[in-house]
């Protein structure tokens, strides 16, 4: 993992600490999957993307949640001042440029905004069963992993989990980009099976199994835990030769 942390210039773009954390989370997913495979079970992961995350944060929901977590009042007021009292206008030739108040959304580009968004997403984590479902998220990217004795059962579990997390998201004004959803059925490195035909159906759309690779937070997951694609992509970005 350490060798891949510098690819795509991630350290230069967003900081090594952030990318190191992503490597740790991705390792946790693969470790969890390998544990259930050793136990003779199958594992499947659904990758979700929250639609317009930062833009849909409701002040009336976020600020009371901060107070419910025993956040100091002066801190809550400072945050309220940070996210509220903002205005915007549509600018085009001939427009009056009248400023309008903004009642939702938090500023993008600020380190504080990511932290506030994670707090805002708390209901999405608490609606799932930690003994049956592993949920890992980074800002607006979420993955849910389940396990059972068959991939068919896994698809049913993922559909049920999606129903619960969708309801929790809807309650706080959020939704998912269904067209960005990916599905992966994991295999062991030595397992050779025919193509799995067990898609999931969410929001009346059929999500087929990812062809070979799922890219999540810059890491390329392969169903058999190989890192060949991930390393090859990184070397290609740096224009280095790939040796056997």
């Amino acid at each position: 993992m350490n060798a891949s942390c510098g690819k795509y210039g991630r350290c230069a773009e967003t900081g090594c600490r952030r990318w190191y954390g992503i490597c740790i989370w991705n390792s946790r997913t693969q470790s969890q999957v390998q544990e259930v495979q050793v136990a003779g079970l199958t594992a499947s992961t659904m990758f979700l993307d929250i639609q317009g995350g930062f833009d849909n944060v409701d002040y009336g929901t976020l600020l009371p949640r901060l107070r419910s977590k025993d956040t100091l009042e002066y801190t809550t007021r400072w945050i309220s001042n940070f996210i509220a009292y903002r205005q915007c206008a549509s600018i085009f030739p001939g427009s009056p440029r009248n400023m309008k108040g903004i009642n939702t959304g938090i500023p993008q580009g600020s380190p504080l905004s990511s932290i506030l968004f994670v707090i805002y997403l708390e209901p999405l984590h608490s609606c799932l069963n930690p003994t049956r479902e592993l949920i890992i998220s980074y800002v607006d990217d979420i993955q849910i992993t389940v396990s059972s004795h068959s991939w068919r059962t896994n698809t049913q579990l993922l559909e049920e989990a999606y129903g619960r997390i969708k309801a929790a998201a809807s309650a706080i004004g959020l939704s998912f980009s269904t067209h960005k959803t990916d599905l992966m059925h994991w295999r062991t490195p030595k397992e050779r099976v025919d193509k799995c035909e067990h898609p999931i159906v969410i929001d009346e759309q059929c999500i087929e199994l990812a062809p070979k690779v799922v890219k999540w937070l810059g890491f390329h997951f392969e169903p058999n835990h190989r890192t060949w694609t991930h390393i090859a992509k990184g070397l290609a970005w740096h224009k280095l030769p790939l040796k056997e």
Side-chain angles (χ1 to χ4, degrees):
M1 279 293 192
N2 293 338
S4 65
C5 289
K7 77 171 197 66
Y8 298 140
R10 285 281 186 168
C11 288
E13 293 178 10
T14 55
C16 289
R17 182 173 297 179
R18 170 193 179 275
W19 188 236
Y20 178 73
I22 291 174
C23 290
I24 295 297
W25 294 326
N26 290 339
S27 295
R28 183 185 176 191
T29 298
Q30 293 185 316
S31 296
Q32 185 77 12
V33 169
Q34 289 168 352
E35 286 182 12
V36 300
Q37 287 178 333
V38 169
L41 301 176
T42 63
S44 302
T45 299
M46 175 173 56
F47 301 85
L48 301 170
D49 181 83
I50 298 176
Q51 185 172 7
F54 283 22
D55 295 333
N56 295 313
V57 173
D58 181 68
Y59 304 160
T61 301
L62 175 60
L63 296 177
R65 180 164 299 146
L66 290 172
R67 292 188 173 96
S68 70
K69 300 301 180 182
D70 297 326
T71 305
L72 296 176
E73 184 60 27
Y74 76 84
T75 302
T76 303
R77 291 180 180 179
W78 184 90
I79 292 174
S80 175
N81 186 70
F82 170 72
I83 63 177
Y85 310 111
R86 294 183 296 123
Q87 295 181 322
C88 71
S90 297
I91 300 177
F92 53 88
S95 66
R97 301 189 181 185
N98 295 329
M99 302 298 291
K100 299 293 184 181
I102 304 174
N103 297 321
T104 59
I106 52 181
Q108 299 194 32
S110 169
L112 179 59
S113 296
S114 297
I115 298 173
L116 294 177
F117 191 68
V118 170
I119 296 173
Y120 191 73
L121 292 184
E122 181 193 15
L124 276 63
H125 290 262
S126 59
C127 75
L128 298 180
N129 186 345
T131 62
R132 293 177 50 189
E133 299 141 350
L134 171 66
I135 177 171
I136 296 178
S137 68
Y138 183 85
V139 192
D140 56 354
D141 294 294
I142 297 175
Q143 59 169 269
I144 302 174
T145 302
V146 300
S147 60
S148 70
H149 289 284
S150 70
W151 284 320
R152 184 181 299 277
T153 301
N154 286 350
T155 59
Q156 297 172 353
L157 294 175
L158 288 174
E159 289 172 354
E160 293 172 2
Y162 179 80
R164 281 179 275 127
I165 199 171
K166 177 186 175 182
S170 178
I172 57 176
L174 299 177
S175 60
F176 295 99
S177 300
T178 308
H179 67 283
K180 293 183 179 180
T181 302
D182 285 309
L183 171 67
M184 176 169 287
H185 294 314
W186 297 90
R187 305 194 307 269
T188 62
K190 296 182 179 180
E191 190 174 6
R192 296 290 184 270
V193 296
D194 296 333
K195 182 179 178 181
C196 177
E197 299 291 350
H198 296 297
I200 57 176
V201 179
I202 58 175
D203 294 337
E204 300 182 352
Q205 294 190 36
C206 182
I207 307 299
E208 298 288 347
L209 190 67
K212 293 181 179 180
V213 177
V214 171
K215 183 181 179 181
W216 194 75
L217 296 179
F219 190 88
H220 296 80
F221 286 108
E222 296 184 59
N224 59 357
H225 304 283
R226 293 182 61 189
T227 57
W228 182 264
T229 300
H230 182 71
I231 295 174
K233 294 284 186 179
L235 293 177
W237 189 88
H238 289 290
K239 297 181 180 180
L240 296 174
L242 181 61
K243 298 180 179 180
E244 294 289 345

